[in-house]
Amino acid sequence: NKELERQNRQDWAEESRKVKLLLLGAGESGKSTIFKQMKVLYGQPPTEKERRLFTQGVYQNVIWCMRTLCEQIGNHPALTTPVEATESLEAVLGMNDDSTEI
């Protein structure tokens, strides 16, 4: 019984030293982003799986941005596509957001 009480006091003291934070907010307001940033700054290094997922997200964002820029070239009268860039432009426009190779 004394051992159990000692363990409970030790556990309580350990828990009371932890800082807890409750993040409230509407969907897409950045709660997960704050958590991920705190983990990057103060947590363990990312696992290999987390690195792969992060890399995939970066690739998808790069492809999406490249496609958006290429689409806008055709919509803006002052911009023209150089002949030597046509093949690259078509390749970018043919990519989907799930592409992992750039």
Short mmCIF file of all heavy atoms in Angstrom, two decimals, residues 10-45:
data_model
loop_
_atom_site.label_atom_id
_atom_site.label_comp_id
_atom_site.label_asym_id
_atom_site.label_seq_id
_atom_site.Cartn_x
_atom_site.Cartn_y
_atom_site.Cartn_z
N GLN A 10 4.70 10.19 -6.87
CA GLN A 10 5.74 10.40 -7.87
C GLN A 10 5.11 10.68 -9.24
O GLN A 10 5.53 11.60 -9.93
CB GLN A 10 6.65 9.18 -7.94
CG GLN A 10 7.82 9.34 -8.88
CD GLN A 10 8.70 8.09 -8.90
OE1 GLN A 10 8.49 7.13 -8.16
NE2 GLN A 10 9.70 8.10 -9.77
N ASP A 11 4.09 9.91 -9.60
CA ASP A 11 3.40 10.13 -10.87
C ASP A 11 2.72 11.49 -10.90
O ASP A 11 2.77 12.21 -11.91
CB ASP A 11 2.36 9.03 -11.12
CG ASP A 11 3.00 7.68 -11.42
OD1 ASP A 11 4.21 7.63 -11.71
OD2 ASP A 11 2.26 6.67 -11.35
N TRP A 12 2.09 11.88 -9.80
CA TRP A 12 1.41 13.18 -9.74
C TRP A 12 2.42 14.31 -9.89
O TRP A 12 2.17 15.27 -10.62
CB TRP A 12 0.65 13.31 -8.42
CG TRP A 12 -0.12 14.60 -8.35
CD1 TRP A 12 -1.36 14.83 -8.85
CD2 TRP A 12 0.33 15.82 -7.77
NE1 TRP A 12 -1.72 16.13 -8.63
CE2 TRP A 12 -0.70 16.77 -7.95
CE3 TRP A 12 1.47 16.21 -7.11
CZ2 TRP A 12 -0.60 18.07 -7.51
CZ3 TRP A 12 1.59 17.51 -6.66
CH2 TRP A 12 0.55 18.43 -6.87
N ALA A 13 3.57 14.20 -9.21
CA ALA A 13 4.60 15.23 -9.31
C ALA A 13 5.12 15.34 -10.74
O ALA A 13 5.33 16.44 -11.26
CB ALA A 13 5.74 14.93 -8.34
N GLU A 14 5.30 14.21 -11.38
CA GLU A 14 5.78 14.19 -12.77
C GLU A 14 4.75 14.83 -13.71
O GLU A 14 5.09 15.64 -14.57
CB GLU A 14 6.05 12.74 -13.18
CG GLU A 14 6.95 12.61 -14.37
CD GLU A 14 7.34 11.14 -14.60
OE1 GLU A 14 7.94 10.52 -13.71
OE2 GLU A 14 7.00 10.65 -15.69
N GLU A 15 3.49 14.49 -13.55
CA GLU A 15 2.43 15.04 -14.38
C GLU A 15 2.26 16.54 -14.15
O GLU A 15 1.96 17.29 -15.07
CB GLU A 15 1.09 14.34 -14.12
CG GLU A 15 0.95 12.99 -14.77
CD GLU A 15 0.94 13.08 -16.29
OE1 GLU A 15 0.24 13.93 -16.85
OE2 GLU A 15 1.66 12.29 -16.93
N SER A 16 2.44 16.99 -12.92
CA SER A 16 2.23 18.40 -12.62
C SER A 16 3.32 19.28 -13.23
O SER A 16 3.13 20.49 -13.39
CB SER A 16 2.14 18.64 -11.11
OG SER A 16 3.38 18.35 -10.50
N ARG A 17 4.45 18.70 -13.60
CA ARG A 17 5.52 19.46 -14.25
C ARG A 17 5.27 19.64 -15.75
O ARG A 17 5.87 20.50 -16.37
CB ARG A 17 6.88 18.76 -14.05
CG ARG A 17 7.44 18.93 -12.66
CD ARG A 17 8.88 18.45 -12.60
NE ARG A 17 8.99 17.02 -12.82
CZ ARG A 17 9.04 16.11 -11.85
NH1 ARG A 17 8.99 16.48 -10.60
NH2 ARG A 17 9.15 14.84 -12.14
N LYS A 18 4.38 18.86 -16.31
CA LYS A 18 4.08 18.96 -17.74
C LYS A 18 3.21 20.17 -18.01
O LYS A 18 2.32 20.51 -17.24
CB LYS A 18 3.35 17.71 -18.23
CG LYS A 18 4.19 16.46 -18.21
CD LYS A 18 3.40 15.29 -18.72
CE LYS A 18 4.21 14.01 -18.67
NZ LYS A 18 3.41 12.86 -19.11
N VAL A 19 3.49 20.83 -19.13
CA VAL A 19 2.67 21.94 -19.58
C VAL A 19 1.69 21.40 -20.61
O VAL A 19 2.10 20.75 -21.57
CB VAL A 19 3.54 23.05 -20.21
CG1 VAL A 19 2.67 24.16 -20.77
CG2 VAL A 19 4.53 23.58 -19.20
N LYS A 20 0.42 21.66 -20.39
CA LYS A 20 -0.61 21.17 -21.30
C LYS A 20 -1.27 22.36 -21.97
O LYS A 20 -1.47 23.41 -21.37
CB LYS A 20 -1.63 20.33 -20.56
CG LYS A 20 -1.01 19.08 -19.96
CD LYS A 20 -2.00 18.27 -19.20
CE LYS A 20 -1.29 17.07 -18.58
NZ LYS A 20 -2.21 16.25 -17.80
N LEU A 21 -1.60 22.18 -23.23
CA LEU A 21 -2.19 23.25 -24.02
C LEU A 21 -3.36 22.70 -24.80
O LEU A 21 -3.23 21.68 -25.49
CB LEU A 21 -1.13 23.81 -24.98
CG LEU A 21 -1.54 24.90 -25.93
CD1 LEU A 21 -1.89 26.17 -25.16
CD2 LEU A 21 -0.39 25.19 -26.89
N LEU A 22 -4.49 23.35 -24.69
CA LEU A 22 -5.69 22.96 -25.43
C LEU A 22 -5.87 23.94 -26.57
O LEU A 22 -6.02 25.14 -26.36
CB LEU A 22 -6.92 22.99 -24.52
CG LEU A 22 -8.27 22.69 -25.18
CD1 LEU A 22 -8.28 21.27 -25.75
CD2 LEU A 22 -9.39 22.88 -24.18
N LEU A 23 -5.81 23.43 -27.79
CA LEU A 23 -5.97 24.27 -28.98
C LEU A 23 -7.41 24.16 -29.46
O LEU A 23 -7.87 23.08 -29.82
CB LEU A 23 -5.02 23.83 -30.08
CG LEU A 23 -3.53 23.93 -29.78
CD1 LEU A 23 -2.72 23.34 -30.92
CD2 LEU A 23 -3.14 25.37 -29.54
N LEU A 24 -8.11 25.29 -29.46
CA LEU A 24 -9.48 25.34 -29.94
C LEU A 24 -9.55 26.20 -31.19
O LEU A 24 -8.81 27.17 -31.32
CB LEU A 24 -10.39 25.95 -28.86
CG LEU A 24 -10.46 25.20 -27.53
CD1 LEU A 24 -11.29 26.00 -26.54
CD2 LEU A 24 -11.05 23.82 -27.72
N GLY A 25 -10.42 25.85 -32.08
CA GLY A 25 -10.60 26.66 -33.27
C GLY A 25 -11.41 25.90 -34.31
O GLY A 25 -11.55 24.68 -34.25
N ALA A 26 -11.91 26.64 -35.25
CA ALA A 26 -12.69 26.05 -36.33
C ALA A 26 -11.79 25.19 -37.21
O ALA A 26 -10.56 25.28 -37.14
CB ALA A 26 -13.32 27.16 -37.17
N GLY A 27 -12.40 24.36 -38.02
CA GLY A 27 -11.64 23.55 -38.96
C GLY A 27 -10.81 24.42 -39.88
O GLY A 27 -11.21 25.53 -40.23
N GLU A 28 -9.63 23.94 -40.24
CA GLU A 28 -8.72 24.64 -41.15
C GLU A 28 -8.21 25.97 -40.57
O GLU A 28 -7.84 26.87 -41.30
CB GLU A 28 -9.39 24.91 -42.51
CG GLU A 28 -9.83 23.65 -43.23
CD GLU A 28 -8.69 22.73 -43.61
OE1 GLU A 28 -7.65 23.24 -44.06
OE2 GLU A 28 -8.84 21.51 -43.45
N SER A 29 -8.20 26.08 -39.22
CA SER A 29 -7.72 27.33 -38.62
C SER A 29 -6.25 27.25 -38.21
O SER A 29 -5.71 28.24 -37.72
CB SER A 29 -8.58 27.70 -37.41
OG SER A 29 -8.46 26.73 -36.40
N GLY A 30 -5.61 26.09 -38.38
CA GLY A 30 -4.19 25.98 -38.11
C GLY A 30 -3.81 25.26 -36.84
O GLY A 30 -2.66 25.31 -36.42
N LYS A 31 -4.76 24.57 -36.21
CA LYS A 31 -4.45 23.86 -34.96
C LYS A 31 -3.38 22.80 -35.18
O LYS A 31 -2.41 22.72 -34.42
CB LYS A 31 -5.72 23.22 -34.38
CG LYS A 31 -6.80 24.21 -34.02
CD LYS A 31 -8.05 23.52 -33.48
CE LYS A 31 -8.69 22.58 -34.45
NZ LYS A 31 -9.36 23.17 -35.60
N SER A 32 -3.54 22.00 -36.19
CA SER A 32 -2.56 20.95 -36.48
C SER A 32 -1.22 21.53 -36.88
O SER A 32 -0.17 20.99 -36.53
CB SER A 32 -3.06 20.03 -37.59
OG SER A 32 -4.21 19.35 -37.17
N THR A 33 -1.24 22.65 -37.58
CA THR A 33 0.00 23.29 -38.00
C THR A 33 0.81 23.74 -36.79
O THR A 33 2.02 23.55 -36.75
CB THR A 33 -0.31 24.50 -38.91
OG1 THR A 33 -1.07 24.05 -40.02
CG2 THR A 33 0.96 25.18 -39.38
N ILE A 34 0.13 24.32 -35.80
CA ILE A 34 0.83 24.74 -34.58
C ILE A 34 1.41 23.52 -33.88
O ILE A 34 2.57 23.54 -33.44
CB ILE A 34 -0.13 25.51 -33.65
CG1 ILE A 34 -0.45 26.87 -34.27
CG2 ILE A 34 0.46 25.66 -32.26
CD1 ILE A 34 -1.49 27.65 -33.53
N PHE A 35 0.64 22.44 -33.78
CA PHE A 35 1.13 21.23 -33.14
C PHE A 35 2.34 20.68 -33.87
O PHE A 35 3.35 20.33 -33.25
CB PHE A 35 0.02 20.17 -33.10
CG PHE A 35 0.46 18.87 -32.51
CD1 PHE A 35 0.64 18.74 -31.14
CD2 PHE A 35 0.71 17.79 -33.33
CE1 PHE A 35 1.07 17.54 -30.60
CE2 PHE A 35 1.14 16.59 -32.80
CZ PHE A 35 1.31 16.47 -31.43
N LYS A 36 2.28 20.62 -35.19
CA LYS A 36 3.40 20.10 -35.97
C LYS A 36 4.63 20.97 -35.81
O LYS A 36 5.75 20.46 -35.71
CB LYS A 36 3.02 19.99 -37.45
CG LYS A 36 2.01 18.90 -37.73
CD LYS A 36 1.56 18.95 -39.17
CE LYS A 36 0.42 17.98 -39.42
NZ LYS A 36 -0.12 18.12 -40.78
N GLN A 37 4.46 22.29 -35.79
CA GLN A 37 5.59 23.19 -35.62
C GLN A 37 6.22 23.02 -34.24
O GLN A 37 7.45 23.04 -34.11
CB GLN A 37 5.15 24.65 -35.83
CG GLN A 37 6.29 25.63 -35.85
CD GLN A 37 7.25 25.40 -37.03
OE1 GLN A 37 6.83 24.98 -38.10
NE2 GLN A 37 8.51 25.63 -36.81
N MET A 38 5.41 22.86 -33.21
CA MET A 38 5.94 22.62 -31.86
C MET A 38 6.73 21.31 -31.82
O MET A 38 7.78 21.23 -31.20
CB MET A 38 4.80 22.57 -30.84
CG MET A 38 4.08 23.90 -30.66
SD MET A 38 5.13 25.18 -29.98
CE MET A 38 5.25 24.62 -28.30
N LYS A 39 6.23 20.31 -32.51
CA LYS A 39 6.93 19.04 -32.56
C LYS A 39 8.28 19.18 -33.26
O LYS A 39 9.28 18.63 -32.82
CB LYS A 39 6.07 17.99 -33.29
CG LYS A 39 6.67 16.61 -33.27
CD LYS A 39 5.74 15.60 -33.92
CE LYS A 39 6.41 14.26 -33.99
NZ LYS A 39 5.64 13.29 -34.74
N VAL A 40 8.30 19.96 -34.36
CA VAL A 40 9.56 20.19 -35.08
C VAL A 40 10.55 20.91 -34.19
O VAL A 40 11.74 20.55 -34.13
CB VAL A 40 9.31 20.99 -36.37
CG1 VAL A 40 10.60 21.52 -36.96
CG2 VAL A 40 8.56 20.15 -37.39
N LEU A 41 10.09 21.92 -33.48
CA LEU A 41 10.99 22.73 -32.66
C LEU A 41 11.45 22.04 -31.39
O LEU A 41 12.60 22.18 -30.98
CB LEU A 41 10.31 24.06 -32.30
CG LEU A 41 10.05 25.01 -33.46
CD1 LEU A 41 9.22 26.20 -32.98
CD2 LEU A 41 11.35 25.48 -34.07
N TYR A 42 10.54 21.30 -30.72
CA TYR A 42 10.85 20.80 -29.38
C TYR A 42 10.74 19.28 -29.23
O TYR A 42 11.08 18.76 -28.18
CB TYR A 42 9.91 21.46 -28.36
CG TYR A 42 9.99 22.95 -28.40
CD1 TYR A 42 8.96 23.71 -28.93
CD2 TYR A 42 11.12 23.61 -27.93
CE1 TYR A 42 9.04 25.10 -28.98
CE2 TYR A 42 11.21 24.99 -27.97
CZ TYR A 42 10.17 25.72 -28.49
OH TYR A 42 10.25 27.08 -28.54
N GLY A 43 10.30 18.59 -30.25
CA GLY A 43 10.08 17.15 -30.13
C GLY A 43 11.21 16.32 -30.70
O GLY A 43 12.31 16.82 -30.97
N GLN A 44 10.91 15.08 -30.89
CA GLN A 44 11.85 14.14 -31.47
C GLN A 44 11.99 14.42 -32.96
O GLN A 44 11.09 14.95 -33.59
CB GLN A 44 11.35 12.70 -31.28
CG GLN A 44 11.23 12.28 -29.83
CD GLN A 44 12.58 12.17 -29.18
OE1 GLN A 44 13.55 11.76 -29.80
NE2 GLN A 44 12.66 12.55 -27.92
N PRO A 45 13.13 14.05 -33.55
CA PRO A 45 13.26 14.21 -35.00
C PRO A 45 12.19 13.39 -35.72
O PRO A 45 11.73 12.38 -35.19
CB PRO A 45 14.66 13.67 -35.31
CG PRO A 45 15.33 13.47 -34.01
CD PRO A 45 14.30 13.48 -32.94
#
